[in-house]
Amino acid sequence: MSALFKTIGIIVCVFASIIIVAVSALLYYENHDFPDQNGIDKKEFFCYRNGLKIRGTVFVPSGKTDIPIAIVCHEFMTNRLFAYPYAITLAKSGYAAFCFDFCGGGIVCGSDGDSRDMSVLTEIEDLKSVIDFAKEQRYTSDEPLLLMGCSQGGLVAALTAAELQEEIGGLILQYPALSIPEAARKGEMLWMSFDPDDVPEEMRSGPMRIGRRYATDVMDMDTLPAITRYTGKVLILHGDRDTLVNISGSQKVAEAYEAAGADVSFQIISGGKHIFLNPAHIKMAVNSISEFAAQINGKES
């Protein structure tokens, strides 16, 4: 019975988070102008991946040029709005900080695409398209860029950093859901249960319709060897009360990066759950991100 109550509690928390995202999108973020925030300008942008329009927001230090790039990837089922505190933090640290909606990646999604066509691999292609767009902007520099990803976005960012090793100057993983491939092999993913040998064409994860490829695209992926091809600077942030992605997974990931030769910092957010909603937890995260970004951007001795 206690396991049942725990499961119900997790589902309630997830749906509460979804409601917060939707209300924020409809009533606040999309209607707020976000003028110059202590020297930070907010601009909307769009680019394309295979004909799908990707919509996003970039926060840029006012009046600056030759600015290094940072890109923040949001969680499964959310959108770029949850990336705003981190993108603004990175902009204050001297970056042109881009955040965007993955195609089909959330229930309130500004980008084109159907959630049934979305997977970790399509999100990697979305991220690469945003990287290419960011590099083309007249105000950005050609310095190695900083990638940040939250939850599923963390897996996307980690895999992309491994693929684009020489182009990445730093990697931030916040409660990264690096166990997604293992979950696919077990047939237990995000409140979905299925036969991994016969994955249905369509499934439901809460309010989102998910396609077969969401599982099959990652089923054969060996996560740790794949991501630890990146051996640069890594910051991992995880809450010790996360019931969706256990913090022990991030501890193993930190050890794997260190064994591969990466420069790793691991920060426990005391009391933090999956997706930081408490302002105190967000503040702890942005303080760590600010320090890490300053090191990457050469602003600390």
Side-chain angles (χ1 to χ4, degrees):
M1 185 64 70
S2 60
L4 174 62
F5 284 125
K6 182 177 180 181
T7 301
I8 292 172
I10 292 172
I11 293 172
V12 169
C13 288
V14 170
F15 275 91
S17 298
I18 293 168
I19 291 169
I20 290 171
V21 172
V23 171
S24 296
L26 295 174
L27 300 181
Y28 181 66
Y29 285 105
E30 296 298 341
N31 295 321
H32 194 82
D33 189 34
F34 280 100
D36 186 316
Q37 293 201 10
N38 298 320
I40 304 300
D41 296 329
K42 172 181 176 275
K43 305 176 183 180
E44 303 305 314
F45 74 88
F46 66 86
C47 59
Y48 291 90
R49 189 264 295 172
N50 297 337
L52 297 174
K53 180 179 278 190
I54 299 171
R55 293 177 174 86
T57 305
V58 57
F59 296 90
V60 185
S62 302
K64 303 291 184 181
T65 58
D66 200 32
I67 311 169
I69 296 165
I71 301 177
V72 186
C73 303
H74 68 76
E75 304 89 345
F76 172 84
M77 208 180 285
T78 69
N79 56 33
R80 68 185 184 272
L81 304 179
F82 271 16
Y84 275 17
Y86 313 114
I88 293 169
T89 295
L90 291 167
K92 289 180 178 178
S93 296
Y95 288 86
F98 294 76
C99 52
F100 63 99
D101 290 358
F102 284 114
C103 293
I107 58 169
V108 180
C109 182
S111 296
D112 293 348
D114 192 311
S115 60
R116 291 169 294 183
D117 298 323
M118 176 273 298
S119 77
V120 167
L121 298 189
T122 67
E123 292 196 345
I124 289 173
E125 295 307 311
D126 291 346
L127 174 54
K128 288 179 181 177
S129 295
V130 174
I131 289 172
D132 289 342
F133 173 85
K135 288 180 174 180
E136 293 169 355
Q137 303 313 299
R138 67 183 183 276
Y139 53 84
T140 59
S141 74
D142 58 1
E143 296 177 38
L145 56 92
L146 191 156
L147 283 186
M148 176 176 177
C150 305
S151 194
Q152 179 170 299
L155 176 57
V156 171
L159 290 167
T160 304
E163 186 174 341
L164 306 179
Q165 301 170 44
E166 298 303 316
E167 300 178 42
I168 309 302
L171 176 64
I172 302 172
L173 304 178
Q174 188 157 278
Y175 39 81
L178 303 181
S179 59
I180 288 175
E182 181 182 356
R185 290 188 285 272
K186 292 179 178 178
E188 296 286 341
M189 302 178 75
L190 297 164
W191 317 285
M192 298 182 293
S193 296
F194 53 87
D195 181 354
D197 296 320
D198 186 20
V199 183
E201 287 298 320
E202 183 176 323
M203 301 171 282
R204 276 200 174 272
S205 177
M208 277 186 69
R209 293 184 297 175
I210 304 298
R212 182 175 186 272
R213 71 173 302 176
Y214 183 77
T216 58
D217 274 4
V218 297
M219 202 165 279
D220 296 327
M221 184 183 293
D222 194 353
T223 308
L224 289 183
I227 67 172
T228 53
R229 288 184 292 129
Y230 175 73
T231 55
K233 292 183 179 294
V234 181
L235 170 64
I236 301 174
L237 302 160
H238 209 124
D240 58 8
R241 293 185 62 191
D242 191 333
T243 56
L244 189 60
V245 177
N246 195 284
I247 192 172
S248 63
S250 284
Q251 291 167 331
K252 291 177 182 177
V253 169
E255 293 169 1
Y257 270 120
E258 286 183 346
D263 181 358
V264 183
S265 299
F266 184 74
Q267 176 69 44
I268 297 173
I269 304 300
S270 180
K273 300 179 181 179
H274 197 74
I275 303 183
F276 300 145
L277 301 177
N278 186 315
H281 300 149
I282 295 174
K283 183 176 181 180
M284 284 188 273
V286 299
N287 285 344
S288 294
I289 290 165
S290 180
E291 292 176 7
F292 181 79
Q295 293 171 6
I296 301 296
N297 204 14
K299 290 188 176 181
E300 285 194 355
S301 58

